[in-house]
Amino acid sequence: MITLHDLFSFGKIESKKIQMISSILFSPLELRSIRLRNRIMLSPMCQYSASEGFANDWHLVHYGSRAAGGTALIMQEATAVCPEGRITPGDLGLWKDEHIAPLQRITRFIEDRGAVPGVQLAHAGRKASTAIEWEGGEFLMPEKGGWQTVAPSPIPYSEERPTPHVLNIDEIHTILAQFASAAQRALQAGFKVLEIHAAHGYEFLSPLSNTRDDEYGGSFARRTKLLLDIIDAVKEVWPRHLPIFVRISATDWLPEGWDHTQSVELAKLLREKRIDLIDV
């Protein structure tokens, strides 16, 4: 076991251990039909630089330069499945067909540089409608370009935010369809890996934000149902030969919240769903 402390303890780590780490880190990895040239993945980091969900030159340079630099898997930032699913007005989107062409330009360049393009599909729920970080990062009211947020329960993300709209069953089914449609567009756009964003409270997992008493809330089994339903919806349109990842938060770091034990139990369910990798 090699820890980060080992890596940064100058002179204390044996050269053989460094060679072992390097041999693993820079060895290829096969996931279904995809072969990654090494084990390095660019984390999905929001750029807040899109307009109406459209990618532009900033995204081409940002992702393209990492592909040219040797990264094996370029995971695109949280990409909204609907306008209301954006964190900020600057988020990328895949809720309409017009978003496909600008992304094709990026995925082609990534592949030309020997890397694999991936995309993270997301719905920000009650954490949506936020100003871009360098513009203050506060909640955006509709009159300032914001929108109504949605959530499993009527619990605001913070004291400064209004109460989100509680999703009914029909609205949940609409979101499932939006994930499937976005996955289909992602395939058309040239992405080879799909990641479902279920971290940071973006899904129904945490008992702190999900106090429903229907099929989508309450027990662990019911709180995980939305994520499992999203996976099923996406798998209807995503080819079996291409990988699917799921990103989770291992813990809420709060009493009575989502924790490591539940993450382990969720991992077992994701294995049954034949998810290829859990991004923790």
Side-chain angles (χ1 to χ4, degrees):
M1 180 70 178
I2 308 300
T3 67
L4 288 175
H5 180 267
D6 290 327
L7 289 173
F8 291 102
S9 296
F10 300 105
K12 294 182 181 179
I13 187 167
E14 299 173 12
S15 60
K16 288 184 178 179
K17 289 183 179 179
I18 295 175
Q19 291 173 1
M20 182 185 73
I21 294 169
S22 297
S23 66
I24 296 172
L25 182 62
F26 295 106
S27 64
L29 176 65
E30 292 187 2
L31 295 169
R32 298 188 185 254
S33 65
I34 297 301
R35 187 176 190 272
L36 303 176
R37 58 189 173 189
N38 55 51
R39 311 293 178 102
I40 301 172
M41 174 182 114
L42 175 72
S43 289
M45 300 177 290
C46 289
Q47 298 299 296
Y48 305 124
S49 299
S51 176
E52 300 297 325
F54 285 95
N56 54 47
D57 286 351
W58 174 270
H59 303 93
L60 174 65
V61 173
H62 170 66
Y63 294 114
S65 61
R66 272 69 187 180
T71 302
L73 175 57
I74 305 297
M75 186 62 70
Q76 183 170 288
E77 64 200 79
T79 301
V81 300
C82 62
E84 300 77 24
R86 293 173 295 168
I87 309 164
T88 77
D91 286 23
L92 286 172
L94 264 172
W95 64 80
K96 57 184 178 181
D97 292 346
E98 289 79 4
H99 288 140
I100 295 172
L103 293 172
Q104 285 175 327
R105 177 174 171 238
I106 296 171
T107 58
R108 281 195 300 266
F109 186 88
I110 289 171
E111 291 198 290
D112 285 346
R113 302 281 75 78
V116 174
V119 62
Q120 184 189 74
L121 297 184
H123 190 303
R126 66 180 187 156
K127 296 175 74 174
S129 192
T130 301
I132 293 171
E133 293 294 327
W134 53 86
E135 294 177 355
E138 74 280 356
F139 177 78
L140 285 176
M141 297 299 290
E143 58 268 23
K144 292 188 176 181
W147 53 89
Q148 174 67 58
T149 58
V150 299
S153 304
I155 304 171
Y157 176 60
S158 67
E159 294 180 357
E160 296 76 28
R161 288 172 172 255
T163 301
H165 167 72
V166 178
L167 291 163
N168 61 40
I169 296 298
D170 287 342
E171 290 166 335
I172 288 173
H173 291 165
T174 295
I175 290 175
L176 294 176
Q178 289 168 337
F179 267 91
S181 295
Q184 202 162 30
R185 294 187 187 100
L187 185 65
Q188 292 178 261
F191 291 102
K192 298 298 192 293
V193 177
L194 187 74
E195 179 166 275
I196 298 169
H197 197 343
H200 315 329
Y202 287 176
E203 298 299 342
F204 281 31
L205 299 177
S206 176
L208 298 179
S209 57
N210 183 353
T211 59
R212 300 172 73 97
D213 58 5
D214 63 4
E215 61 186 295
Y216 285 102
S219 68
F220 171 83
R222 295 202 298 265
R223 282 184 283 112
T224 56
K225 178 173 168 54
L226 176 62
L227 174 57
L228 301 180
D229 285 354
I230 288 173
I231 292 170
D232 288 341
V234 164
K235 290 175 76 171
E236 287 291 323
V237 300
W238 191 253
R240 290 186 179 182
H241 68 276
L242 295 179
I244 299 177
F245 296 0
V246 172
R247 186 174 178 90
I248 67 169
S249 296
T251 174
D252 284 337
W253 297 111
L254 289 169
E256 309 301 323
W258 183 264
D259 56 22
H260 299 100
T261 301
Q262 294 174 86
S263 290
V264 171
E265 292 306 307
L266 176 60
K268 295 175 183 178
L269 297 177
L270 297 180
R271 181 176 183 176
E272 291 175 7
K273 290 289 184 183
R274 297 184 64 81
I275 293 300
D276 298 277
L277 184 143
I278 301 173
D279 181 4
V280 183

